[in-house]
């Protein structure tokens, strides 16, 4: 079944998920085989596993500039997001307003959309608009805050464009108004230096599989003293903040991934940024009628989202797949819905361009040879599809 | 990821007959850039009405390109009469099948072929003679009946997958169900596929919201010299832009939430959230 081997692919879809680092696999393995004890048990066989979870908590806290007891392990980024928002709404039952943005990941977008039916109470949701380059207007943000705002939830970095929002300032503004602040930092953790001790952030979500740990593990940072209502109620695991026996191996792996990210971030970012820029500049130069989606500098170092006009994203991706190049598209056909990406639409990207958008997201495992390979293959793919397009006029 | 047959992949990766015939005898154009797929088919015929050449240009996904390519291959050598009998099922079959959500790509091929044949003969498309049931995509009852018979369709959802009818505002769904029942009389009604209630599509929402705005909301705003325009619908979020006196009105936010949102929830869908466009 697995006939597409990892060594064959040029993997540029790291915002979808990442390769598990070999160091992470190595750290996880003992907990999938020999050390299967329950961390809550009284015997030493389980207790030593509990110690491994404690260490992982310290490693995650270390990367974020947080205290270990401010970290709660969850099953994914989505769970962390839901936990934060629903906790805030339950902590302040008379506040029924949420401020967020129009470009959030579905984990936040669809949660906010369904708040009324989920909670049985009527809510007001303000979604801040973005400019054409995907950035926010802080004046509009200030205006949106009101006495009845329970929580602000703004992603740190956008998964489709990589655009970074000014979280430090936005969190400070929220606190000036006495409002809780959550950030979905799933794409930011490991790529942007974060020091929560110095920030007014109350909740932060992260997900293991975006930073070279395993799928199915995430974490939620909850600032000390912040009112908290659990999402999963059950046993006393995670000090009662999240019931359910711990996903020990993945948690241990997440700890190692965080430590690795912290140690190598600057160096890796520089390498990845160089590769990304080489790819981006090369593509924009080699392919006419191509354009960058999103702010050029306020952006993750690994992401570039480029629209190739007059061609359709699914067709592009399948041609790339022929050369084992992995990426994503914001086109309608790839999602199975009838509309292109809500992020690109919020940015006012015209339909002609949104249908033909490709997101390349790199990692430290990419090489210059791979970038050059993609640069060699992309222009003919686009040219071939355009030659077939009734809308393309050579000029 | 879609499951495409080898044949689809072949025709997608190595399409046959790409291009446009100069001085074509017949041209058929269907679809649009905004819809996400479009096809321009050109054909050449000899004195005996035999198709001697066919070329296509397609904007769209793999199945749209593959359907166009295989179609040109199929029709070269056919007379116009023979080509007129080619159905979308024939196209899909030649490809070894298409995912059901992509069946409309094969229908697009058949439609372009019909248009090209009609153009060749200088006649108006016979399909236009039927009664339009789906206004959003301009689909007639004859086309729906034809699709039901040719492809043995048994539910409204299938009709939408094949013809796009009902995929827009959805107002014609009841009518489509009537046509379906009338067309497949032999099958007892209770054996038709049970359908679960569908979520409203964005187009359906837009249509209903526009109606509600026009009928119930604009008259009130206009009395005060204001106006409102629908900008976009994204899931349950309704983006509107206030006009005229509303823009300078200090109560505009209250108007949006207390009046417009409440009305829309009442008239269209009780989960809608109204917000002002940037
Ligand atoms: C910004 C953002 N938030 C949340 C998520 C969801 O994370 P998970 O897959 O761990 O639930 C993702 C992953 O795609 C993401 O990119």
């Amino acid at each position: 079944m697995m006939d597409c081997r990892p060594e064959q692919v040029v993997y540029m879809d790291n915002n979808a998920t990442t390769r598990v680092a070999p160091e992470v696999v190595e750290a996880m393995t003992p907990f999938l085989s020999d050390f299967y004890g329950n961390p809550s048990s009284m015997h030493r066989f389980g207790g030593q596993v509990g110690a491994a979870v404690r260490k992982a908590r310290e490693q995650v806290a270390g990367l974020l500039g947080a205290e270990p007891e401010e970290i709660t392990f969850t099953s994914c980024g989505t769970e962390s997001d839901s936990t934060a928002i629903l906790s805030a709404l339950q902590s302040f039952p008379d506040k029924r307003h949420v401020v967020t943005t129009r470009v959030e990941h579905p984990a936040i977008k669809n949660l906010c959309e369904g708040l009324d039916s989920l909670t049985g109470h009527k809510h007001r949701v303000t979604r801040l608009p973005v400019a054409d380059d995907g950035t926010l207007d802080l004046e509009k943000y200030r205006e949106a805050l009101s006495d009845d705002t329970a929580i602000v939830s703004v992603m740190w970095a956008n998964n489709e464009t990589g655009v970074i929002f000014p979280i430090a300032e936005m969190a400070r503004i929220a606190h000036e108004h006495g409002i809780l602040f959550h950030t979905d930092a799933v794409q930011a953790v490991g790529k942007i230096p974060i020091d929560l001790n110095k920030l007014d952030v109350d909740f932060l979500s992260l997900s293991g599989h975006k930073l070279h740990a395993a799928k199915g593990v995430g974490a939620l940072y909850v600032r000390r003293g912040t009112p908290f209502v659990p999402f999963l109620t059950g046993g006393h695991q995670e000090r009662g903040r999240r019931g359910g026996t711990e996903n020990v191996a993945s948690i241990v792996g997440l700890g190692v991934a965080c430590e690795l990210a912290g140690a190598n971030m600057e160096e890796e970012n520089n390498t990845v940024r160089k590769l990304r820029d080489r790819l981006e500049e090369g593509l924009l130069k080699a392919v006419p009628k191509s354009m960058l989606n999103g702010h050029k500098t306020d952006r993750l170092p690994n992401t570039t989202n480029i629209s190739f006009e007059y061609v359709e994203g699914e067709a592009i991706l399948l041609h790339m797949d022929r050369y084992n190049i992995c990426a994503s598209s914001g086109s309608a056909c790839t999602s199975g819905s009838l509309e292109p990406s809500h992020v690109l639409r919020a940015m006012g990207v015209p339909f002609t361009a949104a249908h033909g958008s490709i997101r390349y997201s790199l990692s430290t495992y990419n090489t210059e040879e791979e970038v050059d390979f993609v640069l060699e293959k992309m222009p003919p793919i686009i040219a071939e599809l355009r030659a077939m397009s009734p809308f393309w006029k050579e000029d | 990821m879609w499951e495409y047959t080898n044949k689809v992949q072949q025709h997608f990766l190595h399409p046959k007959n790409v291009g446009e015939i100069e001085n074509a005898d017949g041209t058929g154009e269907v679809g649009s850039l905004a819809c996400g797929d479009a096809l321009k088919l050109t054909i050449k015929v000899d004195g005996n009405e035999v198709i001697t050449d066919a070329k296509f240009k397609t904007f769209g996904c793999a199945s749209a390109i593959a359907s166009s390519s295989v179609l040109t291959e199929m029709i070269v050598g056919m007379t116009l009469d023979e080509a007129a009998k080619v159905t979308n099922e024939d196209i899909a079959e030649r490809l070894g099948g298409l995912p059901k959500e992509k069946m409309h790509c094969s229908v697009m091929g058949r439609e372009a072929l019909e248009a090209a044949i009609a153009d060749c003969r200088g006649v108006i498309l016979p399909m236009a003679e039927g009664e339009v049931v789906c206004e959003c995509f301009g689909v007639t009852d004859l086309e729906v009946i034809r699709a039901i018979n040719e492809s043995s369709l048994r539910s409204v959802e299938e009709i939408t997958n094949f013809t796009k009818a009902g995929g827009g505002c959805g107002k014609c769904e009841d009518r489509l169900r009537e046509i379906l029942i009338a067309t497949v009389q032999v099958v007892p009604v209770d054996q038709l596929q049970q359908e679960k209630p569908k979520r409203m599509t964005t187009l359906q929402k837009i249509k209903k919201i526009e109606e509600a705005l026009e009928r119930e909301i604009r008259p009130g705003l206009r009395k005060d010299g204001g106006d409102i325009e629908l900008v976009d619908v994204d899931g349950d979020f309704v983006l509107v832009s206030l006009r005229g006196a509303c823009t300078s009105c200090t109560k505009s936010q209250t108007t949006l939430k207390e009046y417009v949102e409440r009305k829309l929830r009442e008239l269209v869908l009780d989960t809608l959230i109204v917000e002002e466009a940037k």
Side-chain angles (χ1 to χ4, degrees), chain A residues 102 122 130 314 339 352 388, chain B residues 4 33 58 202 276 278:
Chain A
R102 288 192 192 156
K122 188 174 155 25
V130 295
E314 182 201 293
E339 297 124 21
T352 53
M388 221 184 284
Chain B
Y4 286 132
L33 201 53
T58 293
T202 303
E276 200 170 353
K278 61 172 158 168

Side-chain angles (χ1 to χ4, degrees), chain B residues 32 44 68 112 125 128 133 137-138 176 184 188 199 236 256 266-267:
Chain B
S32 78
K44 196 96 190 146
S68 314
L125 269 185
V133 279
F137 291 106
L176 291 175
V184 295
R199 284 186 61 186
D236 276 352
L256 270 190
E266 202 179 290
L267 296 168

Side-chain angles (χ1 to χ4, degrees), chain B residues 118-234:
Chain B
D119 183 41
C120 226
R121 292 177 159 159
V123 297
I124 295 173
L125 269 185
M127 278 311 146
E129 279 171 9
E131 171 211 349
V132 172
V133 279
C134 169
E135 288 174 19
C136 301
F137 291 106
V139 187
T140 67
D141 54 351
L142 293 184
E143 285 175 290
V144 172
I145 292 170
R146 182 168 165 182
I148 294 172
N149 286 328
E150 282 179 359
S151 308
S152 312
L153 306 184
R154 290 295 176 267
S155 69
V156 173
E157 191 185 328
E158 285 179 350
I159 295 178
T160 306
N161 280 338
F162 278 70
T163 64
K164 285 193 175 176
C169 74
K171 268 203 305 211
C172 61
E173 275 175 18
D174 288 341
R175 181 84 184 91
L176 291 175
R177 195 164 294 110
E178 280 170 29
I179 296 177
L180 179 66
I181 292 169
T183 312
V184 295
Q185 299 148 342
V186 277
V187 183
V189 174
D190 60 326
Q191 279 182 22
L192 293 178
Q193 280 182 16
Q194 284 294 320
E195 296 185 62
K196 31 183 174 13
K198 266 204 309 195
R199 284 186 61 186
M200 254 198 247
T201 67
T202 303
L203 271 169
Q204 284 168 346
K205 285 181 202 157
I206 290 176
K207 266 258 159 93
K208 293 208 168 111
I209 292 167
E210 271 297 357
E211 264 175 34
L213 285 179
E214 194 50 43
R215 257 199 346 247
E216 303 278 339
I217 296 170
R218 287 204 180 99
L221 295 180
R222 283 185 182 140
K223 267 209 319 261
D224 298 329
D227 205 344
I228 189 165
E229 203 174 292
L230 180 63
V231 177
D232 195 6
V233 174
D234 175 7

Side-chain angles (χ1 to χ4, degrees), chain A residues 51-72:
Chain A
V53 171
R54 262 197 305 284
K55 177 165 178 218
R57 202 183 305 283
E58 283 164 15
Q59 288 165 316
V60 175
L63 178 66
L64 302 177
E67 299 302 322
E69 58 274 21
E70 293 175 316
I71 305 298
T72 300

Side-chain angles (χ1 to χ4, degrees), chain A residues 76-78 81 105 155 159 184 186-187 207 209-210:
Chain A
C76 58
T78 305
D81 284 345
H105 185 272
M155 68 199 321
N159 46 304
D184 174 344
V186 166
Q187 294 292 348
S207 176
H209 71 107
K210 310 285 183 179

